[in-house]
Amino acid sequence: MTDPDLVTGTPAPVAPDPVVASVRRIWADVLDAEQVPVDAGFFEIGGDSLLFIVLLERLSRFCGRELDAAELFEHGTVADQARFLTSGEGGRDAAGQDAGGRGAAAIGAHDRSRLLGRSRRA
């Protein structure tokens, strides 16, 4: 029997990537938006520098390592950040050192949230 999708040329549905879906949910939560495109930049769709700090904190918690702001700037869309987070590039080791041997930032996640005057959301 012939697959009807092959006959009509309609592609079979592709399962969504769970990391892309998670990063997209984090962006939507930080931006207080229903949906965010996977191919648009954070600042293009309403983000600002304070929300970027919140995004940095949330993505660091999600992936279990301290991310640098430069890493998120370099990978500026949902799709790029999801790809980066699953690639194993960058990040910090267990001692809090980045690839260049520098220590973690002096301001911790709790301090960033307090400075922003925002309550921490899970």
Side-chain angles (χ1 to χ4, degrees), residues 25-90:
R25 271 192 307 274
I26 291 169
W27 276 45
D29 184 46
V30 169
L31 292 168
D32 195 27
E34 294 273 329
Q35 291 283 331
V36 294
V38 297
D39 58 350
F42 185 76
F43 297 100
E44 295 171 25
I45 58 174
D48 59 34
S49 57
L50 294 177
L51 290 175
F52 186 79
I53 293 170
V54 175
L55 178 68
L56 178 65
E57 177 185 329
R58 294 285 308 275
L59 289 173
S60 291
R61 258 189 294 160
F62 170 71
C63 71
R65 66 179 192 238
E66 187 75 22
L67 298 170
D68 291 326
E71 293 172 324
L72 293 190
F73 276 117
E74 188 176 328
H75 308 282
T77 67
V78 168
D80 288 343
Q81 288 176 3
R83 200 170 17 260
F84 170 72
L85 294 175
T86 58
S87 72
E89 292 179 39

